Amino acid sequence: MSTITVRAAAKRFSDGCLALDGVDLMIQDGSFTVILGPSGSGKSTLLRLMNGLETPSSGQIFVGQRPVIPKNLVKIRCEVAMVFQRFNLVDRLSVMTNVLTGRLGRRSWTGTMFHLFRAEDMAIAAKALDRVSLTERAWCRVDKLSGGQQQRVGIARALAQQPKAILADEPVASLDPVTGEEIMVLLREICDQDGITVVVNLHQVELARRFADRVIGLNSGRIVFDGSPAQMTPQALETIYQRGGDDAAAKREMALALA
Amino acid sequence: MGSEPVAALQRPAPALPPKPRAHAWAWAAAVAAFLLAITWHLGINFSALASGLGDIAEYIHRYSTPNFTDWSRYLALMGVTLATALWGTVIAAGLAFVLAPLAARNFSPHPAVYRGAREALNFMRAMPDLVLALMFVAAIGLGPFPGALALGVHSAGFLGKFLAECMERVDKGTCEGVASTGAGFAQRLAFVAWPSILREGFGYLLFILDRNVRMASVLGMVGAGGIGLELYNSLRIFNYDQSAAMILVILATLLMIDHAASWLRRRLE
Amino acid sequence: MRLQSAKWRWPSPSGLPPARLVGGLLALLLVLWLTAPLVELNLPRLASSSGRFLRFASQLAEMPDWGYLPQLLSKLIETMEMTVLGTFIAIVFSLPLGILAASNTSPHPWACRLTRDLLSLMRAMPELVWALIFVSAVGLGPLAGTMALAWVTVGFLGKIFAEAIEVVSPRALEGVRAHGAGRIQTLQFAVLPQALPDLVGTVAYILDHNLRSATILGLVGAGGIGYDLVMSMRMFQYGRLVMIMAAIYLIVTALDRGSDRLRGQVIYGQ
């Protein structure tokens, strides 16, 4: 069971900003969840709490039975992979090496320190590359690839980890709409065919409607909506995108989201 | 006595805001006074120097007949100098390889380790290499290796600091990308830190090598091998011919190393 | 040779690490092995000397010779004065030389080449060698040291300045010239304002470097604390030696931190 449980999590940053204000959440194993919300609502923070890239000021996070604490980070990160908005690949290295970094959590430093990998790791990485249709680019430097291709490398890296869950933090925000949709299709495919739990941060409502099983709306660090896409009425959307009295900003956010 | 536009021209111009005081001249005068005070305190007499300018031509003339009869010995000594510089640079690279990741805030395993590594690098830098060479010669004995050790320790301080600063500039997202796969300290170094700074780091290494070749040529003056001692002895007894020859050998070698380093740097582009 | 079927491989088509990397490393190891005798690498002697090193270090822990303090301070001040004076003289001389050495402001391509070569020669040798030469020219004392520092710094600063001038925007130059400005005015209003701001960081670095050099110029009699340093070591006056080493460490570190902070301020705006 790799249910991700968030219990009364709150996060206040050192500059005083309250990113999350008491969030309770349980992500079901094998589901495809989309987290919607305006910028600054705490979507990114919530996702990053799940694999330990941020620590909560109060509350607890669990992946399966394991609490997300420094002692467990390596094991948790083996099971929970992440895909980033700006891809976060190592520019100078090849596509294959970047995908292979997905295997690092399970290997000790002795061989990998010299960029040596086992044959089975190479096979897993090759399969992941094939899954995202980038096999013929295996030896290219990643900074020579297009945005869409780089994001697919990011997804291949996540797949190479053989994770139980994939967290995607605004994976399509830096991509054009067509490429973005291809990425969402890929993520959905991975969820359906491999049974991997997928949690995606988005601000495009249409994509949420089309791909999600469950939509969670976040605003000012609190969950204000939790239901299926069918339940996303215009009133629900307004609740998600409201901006504390500032109607103009709210309307702008919604316009952008519905574009 | 005219139409409106002309009357407008005849109105006095609006008052400008008060001009900021010209501090620049005050600063320049203070600096000049300060420098004059230093000159006086050091007991330097520039007018005497200026009147002695005529002697400069004569002085330069003393070097005009370099004596190369001992050229094979000079070349051998230069070879020792170069070898000392190479070993010193390799030792520095080894030390910096270990210390630089610890001295980079984003890779260091613990803030205390970070502070410790930074202080260690500072300490290694602070002592002039000649002083370190003196100490190592006193401990190990005469010869080029104490010089190589001194160069290694001292330039590791610089190289380590440069490399650590390079690492701190690595994009935070890239670090997080690999960290999110569960990679440990050594793995993050191998896949994020070193690959990202390789080009810049190698440039710094060449800079350090260049610097070490220069310093190695004078280490001989404290008994650490190389051509330095020869030159020192020769100039002390005012043997200008031999000194001129040695200076030319040193100059030629240094310029060659400079060119080789630039060529290497360009080949990496 | 292909490592496709081996248990461990590198991430490359052949399974082997990049040829250039391996070739370079092997070449380096070969050169090191060949030059080891030149350097008189003697590992057993090294191991046994650690004992001597510790004894030396423990001798340094002797009581400092407080009676030496006045002379120490005066020599330290002399060292710092040499640094400051040498650097400023260098700044004054490197401005016109830099202008001559920059291809866009030099009056004649020959002047440009000649100046560049001259600057290159000036910085070719370490300060200590120049100090040795200047001592034989003007005698013992801080004058020789100051001259040596200034000489090498001009070689360095002149080149930096020439490069800064060469990257000045030509449009700014044209704009000022189009209004009838003469050569000097062009320099004053178009070239210098663009080229100068970078120099503050460079001057900070140079002061730092020159202070370190100045501490040892006394070795050849060119003024500063270097002479006392070497003498106290040769005569085993460890009480003085530890004070000198501590003093050098303090002033070099202080300037190092100061110049870091100054550079930080200049880069990120005052």
Side-chain angles (χ1 to χ4, degrees), chain B residues 41 59 122 125 127 214, chain C residues 81 124 133 136 212 256-257:
Chain B
H41 189 240
Y59 179 74
N122 285 339
R125 269 207 317 280
M127 279 292 129
R214 267 164 236 283
Chain C
E81 287 177 337
I133 294 175
S136 84
R212 290 168 203 273
D256 190 38
R257 306 294 165 93

Side-chain angles (χ1 to χ4, degrees), chain A residues 48 74 77 84 88-90 92-93 97 101 104-105 107-109 112-113 115 117 157 161, chain B residues 171-174 176-183 186-187 190-192 195-199:
Chain A
R48 289 157 66 93
V74 175
R77 286 178 181 172
F84 297 86
N88 287 359
L89 303 169
V90 185
R92 292 246 173 83
L93 297 177
T97 313
T101 56
L104 289 177
R107 301 284 172 242
S108 78
W109 54 273
T112 51
M113 204 170 78
H115 289 220
F117 288 95
R157 175 174 69 187
Q161 287 179 236
Chain B
D171 178 47
K172 183 167 178 239
T174 312
E176 282 187 349
V178 171
S180 73
T181 65
Q187 290 165 332
F191 287 92
V192 182
S196 304
I197 71 173
L198 217 51
R199 186 135 301 174

